[in-house]
């Protein structure tokens, strides 16, 4: 007879929760005391008197350890983060072993070598700020708002203050260079032309810096070759929007200058919102549970286990524990598992080990429910790709898969080529070879990414067009040649007619008419064919 | 209990970040000079900035300048009202005294024989200095105010390098150091010293220059208010310093003093008397003066309709006994005397000085300072308000500051960081310097002698920003 059976008989709740661990003894084993000490201890009864041991010695005496005092020396060290080789001294424990006696001269040398580097030199990290040449500036970095001189100044500040823009803005004191006057009146003119330096906002400076930095970055390394961190930085810098930043700051400023009443009102509105959201959540959950209850499939298991009183009692306890566990888990699980049919199965499986099979048979719903739960959980576990990653991996989404089902991109590329006749294929391959793209139906593209595939598709399409056009040109040239021949013939005949009689002339006229007719029909046939091809 | 704590024998770990090079931190102010070794929690050497000149003798330190028996003793201060050095010769001597008397190898012997106080031995001392400079083994970290001129900054590196022979030097802003002392790199520092009150924003250890605000609403201004209070109270309080009293008998509160005065056979200079009066006033400031801490301001009316001042009058007062034995209960006056810090209209008029303007009060300075920085920083700054300087130890100061700031920025979260220990509040900037100077990562920052020789004194402007 196990405790389980006893509980069963006494209608006690099952061991849903782990048993509380044994009460820890509050007081450790009492020291065995003798004589008066024990009497004193006993005065306290169950609550032992706290007797703090008296510490008579404040500090152990040094010589008790019999160890000589540790020796320290002020050891010189340098810091490799410095350029000037400043040597400072700090206190370091002397090595216990006495140095081997050496000749004085040697000892000196050793000392010089021994100067160690500071362990803190490695913390000397610098922000990487791009540099540009004059040429690059003139080609790519010109800006109406910023002169090169001022851009240089901004970059020097960025370097000086490690891109802390609030500080850069605070210390920004740009003075445009004073033009060197060559003559007296020229200087006056220049003085009139000097515009007072603009007051730059943080956003102006950021926008300028980011645009220059992004351009220089792209110049040094085309975006395709960047690794993902660099690419992200490049994107972020490219997408900086000063107007939006300014608007955000303006908004933040107005929020900052709220009065006390406004602040209080906002607080109360936020509270209200929280309450409304909580109520909506609760309502939704209740509704979901209701639906789950309504959808619970009718049990078609046998009712044999419940015909005895023991069985009924078990059912009651089962339901009770299911209810309880539901209460506990409400917050943890979604509404789907809340249906009474699956409740006990999923949450209280452990205690029922012994009768698991019967329980499952009797009250679990169709297995579809469980599967549904599994499938609904899986998608959340899958890693979500960001938009950018999707672009990199060439992920595209379709509403549904076409009739042919999923296919490899490679096949998609090959298809238009394979559908052509052998002659056509040969021609296309020739053109590709001409373009320096070694390709045939049997070899593959070197890197069939989505973008490459699209490019290749476009290329094939234009090659087709090219071939068609070439065919047409050939045909037209043939026709032109025929027409020219006909004309030459006619001219020859006319010349002969001028020489010969009228009869001959009439006969020739018929001949010309005939030949003209023939050429017209040839032309129409050609145009028909070309029209067909175009349509195709 | 281990006989030897293990930690001290171990190498400093990287996380701890300390690597001491026996640097000396020198934090000169208007009222006192603080000097000590980096890595310690309080300055070992603390001297008043006032020094005495008797004939051609210069007398330093609190132990000696309060002596009325010295003939023709004039009291001077090398600092200007702005807290920057005015008299470089005296300042150099004073600082050197502060360093060599307690920190470096020029051990002070008996004052009568060590040669510092008598004229003949001075020459010998100078000769000794030529041979051996006091700071040859110690890098020196000095603090300065945010508004120090670049000429002054160059002068200080010259003194450190030429006169004292430092191997390395650094000049740090005292407000930044105060923020470091409170463990913040980004902070709004409110520093009330003796001569100036300053409010400024610090971002990542750099002062934001557009946010620097200063005014004279500091310790000396409070003293002048106290004097004004004494002069205008009924009956007028006669301020008699300790040295003039030879004997006194206890009297009831409000009763005239019964004291016999000391007679001196030489004339006591005004500056000496002023210094001694100042000591009495500081005692008064420390034990009686209190900042009204709300609700609202002292001169406004409580929502219940009773003026706040009436409520204050109902509170128990404080008794202060003057050196001559006269004593008196101080009621609402003990609060109104510093109300001018917050409300310019409440300031007591001081003869010979222009009336306080609104911009000089602390709330206005905070407001101006905060509005001088980027919007994105403000929230972080208001969450890191560092209060430092001896005058902030006025009772109720931080509570009132908090109230004022909450009223000013009701939407923002405001957190005031004020050291609980008196020493940490008074020596806030020294403590910050002590932390900075003992950091291993700071070694690469020092301006070394070699750099000084290469670039000249202007290197300090380029490096210490």
């Amino acid at each position: 007879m196990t405790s389980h059976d006893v509980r069963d008989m006494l209608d006690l709740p099952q061991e849903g929760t782990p048993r509380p661990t044994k009460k820890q003894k509050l007081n450790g084993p009492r020291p065995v005391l003798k004589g008066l000490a024990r009497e004193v201890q006993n005065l306290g009864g169950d609550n032992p008197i706290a007797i703090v041991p008296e510490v008579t010695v404040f500090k152990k005496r040094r010589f008790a350890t019999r160890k000589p005092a540790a020796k320290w020396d002020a050891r010189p060290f340098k810091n490799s983060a410095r350029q000037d080789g400043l040597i400072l001294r700090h206190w370091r424990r002397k090595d216990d072993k006495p140095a081997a006696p050496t000749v004085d001269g040697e000892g000196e040398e050793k000392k010089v070598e021994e100067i160690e580097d500071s362990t803190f030199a490695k913390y000397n990290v610098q922000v990487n700020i791009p540099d540009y040449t004059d040429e690059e500036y003139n080609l790519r970095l010109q800006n109406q708002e910023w002169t090169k001189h001022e851009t240089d100044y901004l970059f020097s500040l960025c370097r000086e203050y490690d891109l802390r823009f609030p500080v850069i803005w605070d210390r920004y004191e740009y003075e445009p260079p004073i033009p060197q006057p060559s003559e007296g009146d020229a200087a006056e003119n220049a003085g009139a032309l000097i515009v007072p330096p603009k007051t730059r906002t943080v956003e102006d400076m950021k926008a300028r810096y980011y645009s220059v930095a992004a351009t220089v970055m792209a110049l040094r390394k085309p975006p395709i070759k960047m690794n993902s961190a660099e690419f992200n930085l490049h994107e972020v810098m490219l997408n900086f929007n000063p107007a939006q930043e300014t608007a955000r700051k303006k908004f933040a400023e107005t929020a900052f200058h709220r009065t006390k009443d406004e602040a209080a009102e906002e607080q109360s509105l936020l509270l209200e919102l929280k309450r409304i959201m909580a109520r909506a959540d609760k309502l939704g959950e209740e509704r979901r549970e209701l639906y789950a209850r309504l959808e619970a499939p009718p049990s078609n298991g046998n009712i044999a286990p419940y015909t005895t009183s023991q069985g009924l009692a078990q059912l009651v306890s089962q339901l009770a524990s299911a209810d309880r566990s539901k209460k506990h888990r409400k917050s943890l699980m979604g509404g789907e598992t809340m249906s009474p049919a699956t409740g006990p199965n999923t949450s209280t499986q452990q205690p029922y080990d012994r009768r698991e099979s019967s329980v499952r048979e009797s009250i679990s719903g169709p297995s579809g429910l469980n599967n549904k739960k599994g499938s609904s959980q899986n998608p959340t576990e899958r890693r979500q790709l960001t938009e950018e990653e999707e672009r990199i991996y060439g992920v595209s989404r379709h509403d549904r898969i076409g009739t042919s089902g999923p296919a490899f991109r490679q096949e998609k590329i090959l298809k238009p080529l394979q559908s052509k006749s052998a002659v056509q294929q040969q021609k296309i391959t020739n053109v590709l070879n001409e373009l320096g793209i070694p390709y045939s139906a049997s070899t593959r593209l070197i890197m069939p990414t989505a973008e490459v595939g699209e490019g290749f598709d476009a290329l094939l399409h234009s090659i087709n067009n090219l071939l068609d056009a070439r065919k047409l040109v050939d045909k037209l040239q043939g026709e032109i040649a025929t027409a020219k021949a006909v004309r030459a013939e006619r001219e020859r005949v006319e010349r002969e007619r001028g020489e010969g009689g009228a009869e001959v002339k009439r006969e020739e006229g018929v001949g010309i008419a005939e030949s003209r007719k023939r050429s017209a029909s040839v032309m129409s046939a050609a145009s028909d064919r070309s029209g067909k091809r175009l349509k195709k | 209990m281990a006989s030897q704590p293990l930690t001290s024998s171990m190498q400093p770990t990287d996380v701890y970040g300390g690597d001491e090079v026996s640097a000396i931190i020198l934090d000169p102010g208007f009222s006192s000079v603080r000097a000590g070794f980096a890595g310690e929690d309080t300055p070992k050497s603390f001297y008043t900035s006032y020094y005495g000149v008797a004939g051609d003798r210069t007398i330093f330190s609190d132990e000696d300048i309060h002596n009325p028996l010295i003939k023709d003793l004039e009291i001077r201060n090398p600092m200007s009202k702005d807290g920057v050095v005015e008299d470089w010769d005296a300042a150099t001597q004073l600082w050197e005294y502060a360093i060599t008397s307690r920190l470096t190898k020029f051990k002070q012997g008996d004052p009568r024989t060590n040669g510092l106080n008598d004229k003949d031995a001075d020459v010998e001392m100078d000769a000794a200095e030529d041979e051996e400079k006091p700071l040859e083994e110690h890098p020196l970290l000095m603090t300065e105010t945010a508004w120090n001129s670049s000429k002054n900054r160059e002068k200080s590196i010259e003194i450190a390098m030429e006169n004292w022979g430092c191997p390395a030097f650094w000049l740090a802003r005292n407000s930044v150091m105060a923020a470091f002392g409170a463990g913040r790199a980004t902070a709004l520092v409110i520093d009330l010293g003796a001569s100036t009150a300053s409010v400024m924003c610090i971002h990542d250890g750099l002062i934001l220059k557009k946010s620097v605000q200063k005014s004279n609403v500091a310790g000396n201004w409070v003293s002048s208010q106290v004097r004004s209070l004494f002069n205008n109270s009924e009956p007028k309080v006669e301020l008699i310093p300790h040295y003039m009293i030879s004997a006194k008998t206890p009297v009831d509160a409000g009763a005239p003093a019964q004291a016999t005065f000391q007679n001196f056979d030489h004339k006591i200079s005004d500056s000496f008397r002023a210094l001694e009066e100042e000591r009495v006033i500081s005692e008064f400031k420390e034990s009686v003066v209190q900042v009204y801490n709300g609700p609202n301001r002292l001169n406004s009316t409580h929502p219940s309709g009773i003026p706040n001042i009436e409520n204050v009058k109902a509170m128990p007062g404080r008794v202060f006994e003057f050196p001559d034995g006269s004593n008196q209960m101080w009621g609402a006056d003990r609060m109104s005397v510093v109300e001018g810090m917050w409300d310019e209209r409440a300031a007591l008029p001081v003869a010979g000085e222009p009336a306080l303007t609104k911009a000089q009060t602390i709330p206005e300075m905070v407001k101006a300072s905060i509005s001088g920085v980027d919007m994105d920083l403000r929230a972080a700054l208001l969450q890191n308000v560092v209060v430092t300087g001896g005058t902030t130890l006025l009772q109720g100061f931080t509570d009132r500051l908090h109230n004022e700031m909450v009223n000013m920025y009701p939407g923002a979260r405001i957190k005031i960081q004020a050291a609980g220990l008196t020493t940490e509040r008074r020596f806030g900037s020294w403590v910050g310097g002590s932390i900075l100077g003992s950091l291993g990562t700071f070694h690469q920052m020092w301006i070394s002698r070699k750099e000084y020789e290469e670039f000249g004194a202007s290197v300090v402007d380029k490096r210490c920003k």
Side-chain angles (χ1 to χ4, degrees):
Chain A
M1 195 142 147
T2 62
S3 67
H4 199 99
D5 295 322
V6 175
R7 281 169 179 281
D8 200 297
M9 271 192 272
L10 296 175
D11 274 0
L12 282 173
Q14 296 297 329
E15 287 174 277
T17 51
R19 238 187 263 184
T21 50
K22 263 186 189 169
K23 250 190 202 171
Q24 276 168 353
K25 271 189 183 167
L26 291 174
N27 40 350
R30 282 202 203 173
V32 183
L33 297 169
K34 277 179 190 161
L36 189 61
R38 190 187 59 212
E39 298 300 323
V40 171
Q41 193 70 40
N42 284 345
L43 283 175
D46 282 339
N47 306 321
I49 303 159
I51 298 171
V52 181
E54 184 191 3
V55 180
T56 48
V57 194
F58 172 58
K59 255 186 187 174
K60 244 187 199 173
R61 289 179 146 184
R62 255 215 61 78
F63 54 75
T65 61
R66 304 261 167 121
K67 249 172 114 181
K71 288 199 171 83
W72 294 71
D73 64 345
R75 203 174 295 164
F77 71 99
K78 62 177 171 37
N79 190 325
S80 57
R82 294 187 70 94
Q83 306 301 318
D84 58 350
L86 171 72
I87 288 172
L88 296 166
R89 287 163 181 276
H90 55 188
W91 289 97
R92 281 289 175 272
R93 191 90 176 255
K94 228 178 197 168
D95 292 332
D96 289 339
K97 281 179 286 177
T102 45
V103 191
D104 281 2
E106 266 183 47
E108 281 301 309
E109 271 180 26
K110 239 185 180 175
K111 253 182 194 164
V112 175
E113 279 173 40
E114 264 173 19
I115 288 185
E116 52 179 343
D117 192 12
S118 166
T119 47
F120 296 97
K122 63 181 175 214
Y123 294 115
N124 182 30
V125 286
Q126 248 117 28
V127 179
N128 188 16
I129 297 193
D131 223 340
Y132 48 84
T133 60
D134 288 356
E135 199 180 320
E136 280 169 346
Y137 187 88
N138 290 333
L139 277 177
R140 302 286 301 273
L141 304 172
Q142 301 266 17
N143 189 314
Q144 286 191 331
E145 296 279 308
W146 294 76
T147 60
K148 170 141 197 314
H149 192 260
E150 192 169 2
T151 311
D152 289 346
Y153 177 73
L154 174 71
F155 269 66
S156 73
L157 278 188
C158 288
R159 226 159 269 143
E160 203 170 327
Y161 296 113
D162 294 336
L163 284 183
R164 292 182 183 97
F165 278 103
V167 181
I168 293 168
W169 172 76
D170 185 68
R171 309 276 172 106
Y172 199 85
E173 283 165 357
Y174 175 67
E175 280 166 16
I178 298 150
Q180 300 291 312
S182 51
E183 294 159 40
D185 53 354
E188 273 171 37
N189 285 342
L193 280 174
I194 285 178
V195 211
K198 277 180 191 163
T199 47
R200 304 279 189 192
T201 63
V202 183
E203 281 71 39
D204 288 344
M205 291 176 197
K206 276 186 183 172
R208 180 62 178 157
Y209 172 79
Y210 290 147
S211 76
V212 171
T215 317
V216 171
M217 208 172 158
L219 275 178
R220 300 268 182 280
K221 205 176 193 181
I224 298 163
K225 287 184 185 168
M226 290 178 187
N227 61 30
S228 73
E230 284 170 339
F231 186 76
N232 284 347
L233 179 66
H234 184 252
E235 286 291 289
V236 166
M237 292 205 291
L238 265 188
N239 294 337
F240 180 73
N241 183 357
Q244 189 188 333
E245 277 288 289
T246 316
R248 180 184 67 77
K249 266 194 193 157
K250 221 174 194 173
F251 180 75
E253 185 140 17
T254 44
F256 184 70
H257 287 298
R258 284 176 308 192
T259 63
K260 208 168 189 174
D261 294 342
E262 284 167 340
E265 193 183 331
E266 193 191 293
Q267 201 71 31
S268 69
L269 280 177
L270 275 175
L271 267 179
E272 186 99 339
L273 180 71
K274 224 178 191 173
R275 210 177 306 134
I276 289 170
M277 294 294 278
R279 208 181 299 151
D281 273 358
K282 205 177 159 200
L283 197 70
E285 195 153 307
E286 276 172 5
R287 187 172 293 167
R288 214 164 34 228
E289 196 179 338
L290 184 65
Y291 281 140
R293 265 184 215 284
L294 290 175
E295 278 171 4
S299 170
N300 51 0
N302 64 356
I303 54 162
Y306 307 120
T307 49
T308 62
S309 71
Q310 197 193 0
L312 272 178
Q314 192 196 327
L315 181 67
V316 167
S317 70
Q318 237 170 46
L319 288 177
S321 68
D323 204 39
R324 202 170 47 245
S325 68
K326 192 166 65 186
K327 262 177 200 158
H328 287 313
R329 304 230 166 178
K330 213 169 198 173
S331 55
L332 296 176
M333 289 201 172
E336 277 166 314
T337 54
M338 285 302 111
S339 76
T342 52
N345 203 10
T346 52
S347 52
T348 56
Q349 214 159 359
Q350 283 309 315
Y352 283 100
D353 256 345
R354 225 154 36 95
R355 291 164 204 158
E356 197 189 11
S357 59
S358 70
V359 169
R360 196 171 269 171
E361 245 175 32
S362 58
I363 54 169
S364 85
S367 58
L369 259 178
N370 278 339
N371 283 353
K372 192 175 154 203
K373 182 190 145 215
S375 67
S376 69
Q377 265 177 355
N378 277 342
T380 56
E381 283 161 14
R382 197 161 56 199
R383 197 165 74 91
Q384 291 292 317
L385 293 176
T386 64
E387 212 169 292
E388 187 187 316
E389 279 170 328
E390 277 183 6
R391 191 149 36 80
I392 289 169
Y393 300 134
V395 176
S396 57
R397 297 182 185 283
H398 308 276
D399 287 342
R400 59 194 171 130
I401 294 165
T403 46
S404 56
F408 284 107
R409 225 175 256 147
Q410 179 71 23
E411 282 172 32
K412 212 168 125 195
I413 291 169
L414 284 178
K415 232 175 212 168
L417 202 59
Q418 278 165 346
S419 61
K420 293 272 158 29
S421 69
V423 183
Q424 285 270 24
Q425 272 190 34
Q426 188 55 44
K427 276 181 183 168
I428 291 172
T429 320
N430 283 347
V431 174
L432 282 173
N433 282 337
E434 243 173 73
L435 290 172
I437 304 171
Y439 184 78
S440 69
S442 56
T443 61
R444 290 179 160 211
L445 279 180
I446 290 162
M447 194 179 275
T449 63
E451 276 169 52
V452 172
E454 275 165 29
F456 192 71
D457 250 2
L459 180 64
L460 277 186
H461 189 71
S462 7
I463 287 175
N464 271 338
N465 283 349
L466 175 74
L467 289 178
D468 284 346
R470 200 183 275 170
K471 212 187 260 170
L472 193 64
V473 165
D474 283 352
K475 217 152 257 167
L476 286 176
Q477 258 170 359
E479 272 164 26
I480 289 167
T482 338
K484 270 183 181 165
V486 169
R487 198 177 143 203
E489 180 72 17
R490 201 172 59 194
E491 277 171 1
R492 192 178 52 83
V493 169
E494 267 178 21
R495 244 182 289 131
E496 273 173 19
R497 196 182 52 192
E499 288 160 15
E503 263 175 75
V504 180
K505 190 182 171 186
R506 196 179 47 83
E507 270 176 28
E508 281 298 312
V510 172
I512 287 165
E514 257 176 35
S515 75
R516 191 182 290 156
K517 211 174 172 183
R518 203 188 306 139
S519 73
S521 75
V522 165
M523 263 182 109
S524 75
S527 70
D528 263 0
R529 224 174 298 158
S530 68
K532 245 184 234 164
R533 184 147 307 125
L534 280 176
K535 255 178 239 165
K536 197 168 81 180
Chain B
M1 200 187 285
S3 61
Q4 229 181 342
L6 260 179
T7 45
S8 71
S9 64
M10 288 194 305
Q11 299 253 336
T13 57
D14 289 353
V15 177
Y16 167 62
D19 189 3
E20 281 159 33
V21 289
S22 59
I24 284 179
I25 315 299
L26 177 66
D27 179 26
F30 182 86
S31 85
S32 64
V33 179
R34 285 78 69 178
F37 287 108
E40 291 177 353
D41 58 355
T42 36
K44 268 209 167 74
S45 165
F46 172 74
Y47 288 107
T48 166
S49 284
Y50 292 96
Y51 65 97
V53 177
D56 43 8
R57 218 148 58 98
T58 322
I59 301 162
F60 298 111
S61 96
D62 270 322
E63 286 91 39
D64 303 323
I65 61 167
H66 299 299
N67 184 356
L69 298 175
I70 302 172
K71 272 188 187 168
D72 308 326
L73 183 64
E74 286 275 350
I75 301 296
R76 293 182 193 160
N77 194 323
M79 312 294 267
S80 78
K81 287 246 155 47
D82 271 353
V84 294
V85 182
E86 227 171 26
D87 181 353
W88 275 101
D89 288 339
T92 311
Q93 284 183 47
L94 174 69
W95 297 343
E96 196 172 314
Y97 178 81
I99 291 169
T100 54
S101 61
R102 302 230 167 148
L103 304 177
T104 59
K105 56 195 157 197
F106 291 146
K107 294 285 185 295
Q108 273 267 75
D110 189 322
R112 282 164 304 189
T113 56
N114 71 351
L116 274 174
N117 291 330
D118 51 59
K119 183 184 142 197
D120 297 340
D122 248 356
V123 186
E124 282 171 34
M125 280 297 290
D126 284 342
E129 272 165 39
D130 282 342
E131 289 156 19
E132 210 167 10
K133 288 174 175 169
L135 282 174
E136 255 167 358
E137 288 178 356
H138 306 279
L140 177 71
L141 192 151
M142 240 179 98
T143 66
E144 53 160 358
T145 57
W147 49 89
N148 205 3
S149 68
S150 99
K151 211 173 135 196
N152 270 348
R153 312 180 79 198
E154 285 175 15
K155 184 82 185 161
S156 34
I157 191 173
E158 269 171 39
I159 287 168
M161 290 291 179
E162 310 285 347
N163 294 20
W164 298 339
C166 296
F169 178 78
W170 187 258
L171 198 57
R173 312 282 188 175
N174 52 16
S175 300
V176 176
M177 292 301 106
F180 285 176
R184 304 284 190 280
T186 296
L188 173 74
V189 178
I190 299 176
D191 180 357
L192 269 77
S195 65
T196 38
S198 67
V199 178
M200 65 191 79
C201 299
I202 286 158
H203 174 63
D204 268 1
L206 291 161
I207 283 182
L208 296 175
K209 283 182 176 163
K210 286 175 184 155
S211 70
V212 176
Q213 298 290 328
K214 70 182 175 87
S215 82
N216 64 343
V217 182
N220 293 350
W221 174 84
V222 177
S223 298
S224 72
Q225 294 283 297
V226 172
R227 276 174 196 273
S228 168
L229 173 73
F230 287 169
N231 285 336
N232 298 331
S233 63
E234 265 323 305
K236 191 179 167 190
V237 177
E238 205 67 55
L239 194 54
I240 294 161
H242 285 279
Y243 75 92
M244 294 174 74
I245 310 293
S246 95
K248 63 178 176 184
T249 44
V251 293
D252 287 337
Q258 291 179 345
T260 48
F261 294 107
Q262 189 88 40
N263 284 322
F264 297 99
D265 49 4
H266 58 269
K267 192 182 171 292
I268 302 286
S269 68
D270 288 346
S271 58
F272 183 79
R273 174 155 183 158
L275 176 73
E276 296 306 308
E277 282 178 1
E278 197 61 38
R279 289 175 90 189
V280 180
I281 292 176
S282 353
E283 207 182 322
F284 183 81
K285 285 196 281 187
E286 284 162 11
S287 52
V288 176
V289 173
Q290 189 183 348
V291 179
Y292 172 73
N293 56 9
N296 228 327
R297 293 188 166 164
L298 187 59
N299 290 348
S300 58
T301 309
H302 194 263
S304 61
I306 309 160
N308 284 334
I309 193 115
E310 295 301 322
N311 285 332
V312 170
K313 273 179 185 159
M315 290 181 196
R318 285 182 184 171
V319 178
F320 184 78
E321 184 184 314
F322 286 92
D324 59 2
S326 64
N327 58 78
Q328 193 178 331
M329 175 83 86
W330 298 93
D333 284 339
R334 73 177 194 274
M335 293 194 186
S336 62
V337 81
V338 283
E339 187 63 15
M341 269 185 179
W342 315 96
D343 181 3
E344 74 284 356
R345 282 161 300 175
L348 307 175
V350 177
E353 272 186 45
L356 210 62
T357 60
K358 190 174 173 64
Q360 282 178 300
T361 59
I362 289 165
E364 284 306 310
M365 286 205 290
V366 170
K367 202 179 231 170
S369 183
I370 282 285
S371 55
V373 300
D374 193 58
M375 186 55 231
D376 290 349
L377 289 181
R378 292 183 193 173
L381 289 169
L382 287 177
Q383 279 177 40
N384 293 294
V385 180
V386 172
V387 175
T388 185
T391 305
T392 62
L393 286 167
L394 285 174
Q395 199 192 343
F397 180 88
T398 43
D399 293 345
R400 176 64 180 270
L401 181 66
H402 188 261
N403 285 349
E404 292 279 342
M405 288 184 70
V406 166
N407 279 340
M408 239 187 310
Y409 304 110
R413 250 187 71 204
I414 288 159
K415 203 170 168 214
I416 289 182
Q417 188 69 34
L421 285 177
T422 315
T423 49
E424 281 183 25
R425 196 84 74 81
R426 288 170 76 198
F427 309 139
S429 57
W430 186 91
V431 171
S434 167
I435 292 170
L436 183 66
S438 63
L439 284 181
T441 40
F442 185 65
H443 298 331
Q444 65 178 78
M445 305 283 286
W446 293 107
I447 299 172
S448 69
R449 168 164 285 279
K450 202 172 156 194
E451 282 172 306
Y452 170 73
E453 278 158 7
E454 199 178 332
F455 302 109
S458 61
V459 71
V460 75
D461 260 334
K462 215 160 56 189
R463 293 281 298 282
C464 310
K465 291 173 287 205

